[in-house]
Amino acid sequence: MIDQVTVFLENKKGRLAALTRVLADANVNMEALTIAETSDYGLVRIICDDAPKAVSALRDADFRANTTKVIAVAVPNRPGGLADLLETFEAADLNIEYGYCFSAEEGKAVDVLKVSDVERAAAVIQEAGYELVS
């Protein structure tokens, strides 16, 4: 399990740049970033090297930020890699609230997932032979 930083961000010019500058000035390194948006606001989800430090710096700069427990799973970077993982969750009756993926090292992708029961999900995927990424 890892702590993901989630930031509620107004959909205004310069806000994302300001967010990333706050993290840079706090010496926080982002490993992954995704943005879900509407016309008025966005949800920025960040995996970084120091989530507590990131949240503290962002709150000090008046951003609405918190941490969420998610799991990150290494899967083969090939057609069907994600489908196989998701079928494992389905067979275990675990609900996935949201997720995002990124390519990692050669031949691997990382799937970051917010699931209904993080502890149980971690056990299920390890039992199925997947590697948890921390």
Side-chain angles (χ1 to χ4, degrees):
M1 286 174 286
I2 56 178
D3 287 330
Q4 168 192 269
V5 176
T6 303
V7 185
F8 182 82
L9 190 67
E10 291 177 284
N11 195 357
K12 290 186 177 177
K13 181 180 176 189
R15 291 298 287 162
L16 184 59
L19 179 154
T20 59
R21 176 51 52 201
V22 167
L23 294 179
D25 290 348
N27 200 33
V28 172
N29 188 40
M30 293 185 292
E31 306 291 334
L33 177 142
T34 184
I35 305 168
E37 54 83 27
T38 69
S39 59
D40 297 324
Y41 67 91
L43 283 176
V44 179
R45 294 181 172 115
I46 302 165
I47 304 296
C48 62
D49 63 348
D50 192 336
K53 185 177 180 181
V55 168
S56 178
L58 288 165
R59 287 181 179 168
D60 288 349
D62 294 324
F63 286 93
R64 291 175 49 192
N66 61 31
T67 58
T68 304
K69 293 284 186 201
V70 295
I71 58 171
V73 185
V75 299
N77 192 2
R78 59 161 174 75
L82 178 59
D84 293 343
L85 175 65
L86 296 180
E87 288 166 353
T88 301
F89 283 107
E90 183 179 354
D93 199 32
L94 286 163
N95 184 47
I96 298 170
E97 296 176 23
Y98 63 81
Y100 49 97
C101 309
F102 57 94
S103 291
E105 59 193 51
E106 183 69 29
K108 284 190 180 180
V110 175
D111 297 319
V112 179
L113 303 167
K114 172 68 169 86
V115 294
S116 55
D117 185 338
V118 178
E119 298 285 337
R120 186 164 161 256
V124 164
I125 60 174
Q126 285 181 309
E127 187 175 298
Y130 289 98
E131 173 191 350
L132 281 175
V133 178
S134 58

